[in-house]
Amino acid sequence: EMDKCKSLLRSCPDIERALSRIHNGSIKLKDFISTIDAIKRLIDLKQIFPHHECPILLIELLDSIPDYTDTIEYFAKAFDRDLALR
C-alpha cells in the first residue's frame, strides 16, 4: 500500500501552482486535465489507507483534503478529453 501511495504522489503535478493558474485563467488545457487527474488520485489515496495503518501525519494530511468528487466528475464530463488533448 505504501508503494501505491508513492506512485500516486509521484505522478501528481504541483497542484498548488496549477490551482493558482486555474484561478487566474492562465492554465493550459493539458495542465488542467493533469490537475483534474491529480485531484482524483488524491481522493483515491484517502481510500487506500485505513486510519489505523497510517502514520499520524499522513492521517492528518489525508483528512485535510476536501472531497471534490462531484466537482471533479463535473469537469471530467464537461468536455471530450481526447479531443481536447489533440
Side-chain angles (χ1 to χ4, degrees):
E1 289 169 344
M2 193 56 86
D3 290 337
K4 284 182 188 178
C5 178
K6 288 178 185 177
S7 177
L8 281 171
L9 292 174
R10 278 190 197 114
S11 64
C12 288
D14 183 340
I15 294 175
E16 183 177 6
R17 182 178 295 157
L19 291 175
S20 175
R21 289 182 179 155
I22 290 170
H23 179 74
N24 293 331
S26 63
I27 195 163
K28 296 178 182 174
L29 185 57
K30 183 177 178 181
D31 294 334
F32 179 73
I33 292 171
S34 292
T35 303
I36 290 172
D37 292 344
I39 294 171
K40 272 196 229 180
R41 286 191 295 274
L42 289 176
I43 292 168
D44 292 343
L45 185 62
K46 291 175 77 168
Q47 305 303 316
I48 291 175
F49 291 101
H51 273 31
H52 64 279
E53 295 180 14
C54 285
I56 190 72
L57 289 176
L58 184 56
I59 291 171
E60 289 175 4
L61 173 67
L62 293 176
D63 285 346
S64 72
I65 299 170
D67 185 0
Y68 290 118
T69 304
D70 293 339
T71 304
I72 294 302
E73 289 302 316
Y74 168 79
F75 283 110
K77 295 176 183 176
F79 57 91
D80 183 335
R81 177 189 180 109
D82 294 331
L83 181 62
L85 288 173
R86 281 188 259 138

